[in-house]
Amino acid sequence: MKKPSIADKKAQKALNDPQFQKNWASHMKSFGPILKDAFAEDPASRVALCAALTHITAKKQPQALLKLNSLQKSLVTDADKAAFFFAMGLFCEYAGKFDEMAALYNQANDLHHRFYLPYLKAGKYALDTRDYGTAEKNYRAAIPCFGIAPTDKEKQLLASAHTNLASCLIMMHRPQEADSALEAARKLMPLFPGRSAPEAILHALRGETAPMMSALDALKTMAPFAYDAIKKSCDRILAGIEPQFFSVPVRDENITAFWNWFSGSEADLLSKLEKQDYTAVMTSVGEHLLEAFPFLEQRPTTALGKNDRGYVIQLKDMYAVAVGEAYSRLVDACPEDIKSRWLFDIVH
C-alpha cells in the first residue's frame, strides 16, 4: 500500500464530508455493483469519480470530462478500470454519443463486473445495429447479475433481457435456444409486452400461422409501435423471401458492375485512405454494395482494417442467409489484381 500523500489526506477528509457521502450514496443506489470496489485504497480517485458522476447526471459535461480525465493515471485494478469505463460510457450516453457509449460499456464489460446496466445498454445497442453475437454475449452476462431475488423493477429488466436474447438467437438461427429464453421471460412476467414479437417470428418460421396471428394480435395491443415491422417480417418469412432466413436471387451483372466500379475507383479510394478519410471510403463501398444487392434495403455496415498485404474491408453479413450468400459470390468474383492489394473478409 502506498504512503498517503497530502492529496490523499485531503481526499480522506473529503470522504467524511456530508455532501460527498450524500452524493456517493446516491450513485451507489443507482450503480453500486460497479462502484463498490473502485479505488478502494485511493480516496482521491474515489472523490474524483463521485464528482464526475455527479456532474454527468447534472448534465455538466465539461466539468465531468475534467474529472474523468484526471482518473486515467490512477487505474490500477480491474474494479478501477471497470468503473472508469462505465463512467465514460455514461458520459457519452448523456452526450448522445451512442457509438462511443457502446464501445466504452463493452470495455467495462470485458472486465466481467457484476452490474447488469452496462451489459443491457451495450446489448441493446448491438441488437439495434444487428451485431447479434455481441448482443448475445452482453445479455448472457447481464442475466446472472440480477441474483436470485430480483425486485419487481429488476424482474421487468430481466424479462426484457431474456426476450432480447431470444431475438438475437432467432436471427442467429438458433430457435430452440430462443424458445428457452422466451420461457424464462414468460416465467418472470407472463404479460411482458415485447415478448410477442420474437414469438410471432418463431411461429412464422415454423409455418404456424394461427399462433403467429395470435402473437401479432397481442403485439398490436401491448406494443403497437412494433407491430408493423414484425408483421412485415412475418409475411416475408411465410413467403420465403425474408433475407435473414432465405436466399435471394442475385444478378451476375450486379456483381460485375460492383467490381468494375471498384477497379475504376481504386486510385481515388486509396487517395482518400491516405488522407484518413475513412468514412468517405466506407460510405462509397456501402452505397455500391446496396446497388449490387438491393434487397439489403439500406447501406450495409462495413469495417476497415489493414494488414501486411494492404487494406482489409470487412463485409458484415449479420447472420443473414441471403447476405452471406451474396457476399460469398462477390468475393469469389473479385478480380485477381484487386485480390493482390485488398482483402475482403466476410464476418458476422
Side-chain angles (χ1 to χ4, degrees), residues 8 13 18 23 28 31 50 64 87 130 134 143 155 191 205 213 219-220 223 230 232 259 307 314 322 334 342-343 347:
D8 287 335
K13 182 179 179 181
N23 290 343
M28 283 293 293
F31 316 125
C50 181
R130 303 184 67 181
T134 299
I143 287 166
K155 282 183 180 179
L191 298 178
L205 286 168
M213 293 304 299
L219 186 67
K220 194 171 188 177
I230 298 300
K232 178 182 177 181
W259 290 121
N307 61 18
Q314 285 189 340
C334 180
W342 300 79
L343 176 65
V347 299

Side-chain angles (χ1 to χ4, degrees), residues 89-346:
L90 192 69
F91 171 86
C92 290
E93 183 177 356
Y94 269 71
K97 300 176 180 178
F98 299 111
D99 292 354
E100 290 140 0
M101 172 205 78
L104 286 157
Y105 282 159
N106 277 315
Q107 282 186 273
N109 297 347
D110 286 341
L111 294 163
H112 309 293
H113 58 82
R114 299 288 297 172
F115 182 37
Y116 59 79
L117 186 62
Y119 292 119
L120 294 181
K121 297 274 190 178
K124 185 62 168 63
Y125 177 88
L127 179 58
D128 289 344
T129 55
R130 303 184 67 181
D131 184 359
Y132 299 121
T134 299
E136 179 195 6
K137 175 184 173 183
N138 277 295
Y139 284 124
R140 289 199 185 280
I143 287 166
C145 295
F146 287 91
I148 59 173
T151 64
D152 288 344
K153 180 182 177 181
E154 289 173 342
K155 282 183 180 179
Q156 186 171 3
L157 291 171
L158 190 51
S160 176
H162 283 292
T163 299
N164 287 339
L165 174 60
S167 294
C168 297
L169 294 167
I170 291 168
M171 296 301 176
M172 297 165 75
H173 313 285
R174 291 153 62 186
Q176 288 77 24
E177 292 176 69
D179 281 329
S180 298
L182 288 171
E183 180 58 26
R186 201 173 290 116
K187 288 179 179 177
L188 284 160
M189 292 191 68
L191 298 178
F192 184 71
R195 197 181 63 244
S196 299
E199 287 177 341
I201 297 292
L202 275 176
H203 289 309
L205 286 168
R206 291 164 176 161
E208 300 165 349
T209 54
M212 179 199 78
M213 293 304 299
S214 178
L216 287 172
D217 288 343
L219 186 67
K220 194 171 188 177
T221 300
M222 302 179 72
F225 60 89
Y227 174 81
D228 287 342
I230 298 300
K231 175 66 164 59
K232 178 182 177 181
S233 186
C234 287
D235 289 343
R236 290 160 64 106
I237 289 169
L238 293 178
I241 59 172
E242 174 57 60
Q244 190 71 29
F245 305 104
F246 302 100
S247 300
V248 173
V250 173
R251 299 170 63 184
D252 291 340
E253 53 265 40
N254 288 17
I255 293 176
T256 301
F258 176 87
W259 290 121
N260 287 341
W261 163 79
F262 193 91
S263 180
S265 303
E266 184 179 11
D268 180 55
L269 294 174
L270 288 170
S271 175
K272 289 176 179 175
L273 290 173
E274 288 170 5
K275 296 173 184 175
Q276 299 185 350
D277 193 359
Y278 305 125
T279 300
V281 172
M282 290 294 94
T283 298
S284 188
V285 170
E287 287 173 348
H288 284 84
L289 287 171
L290 181 57
E291 286 183 16
F293 311 122
F295 65 83
L296 292 169
E297 297 186 348
Q298 60 184 15
R299 191 176 71 232
T301 301
T302 55
L304 181 71
K306 198 172 186 181
N307 61 18
D308 54 358
R309 275 178 50 190
Y311 287 100
V312 180
I313 293 179
Q314 285 189 340
L315 305 173
K316 298 188 178 183
D317 69 11
M318 304 162 290
Y319 292 87
V321 170
V323 180
E325 292 178 354
Y327 284 167
S328 292
R329 286 187 57 189
L330 186 77
V331 172
D332 289 344
C334 180
E336 290 300 323
D337 64 319
I338 292 176
K339 281 184 182 178
S340 67
R341 297 183 296 275
W342 300 79
L343 176 65
F344 289 82
D345 186 26
I346 303 171

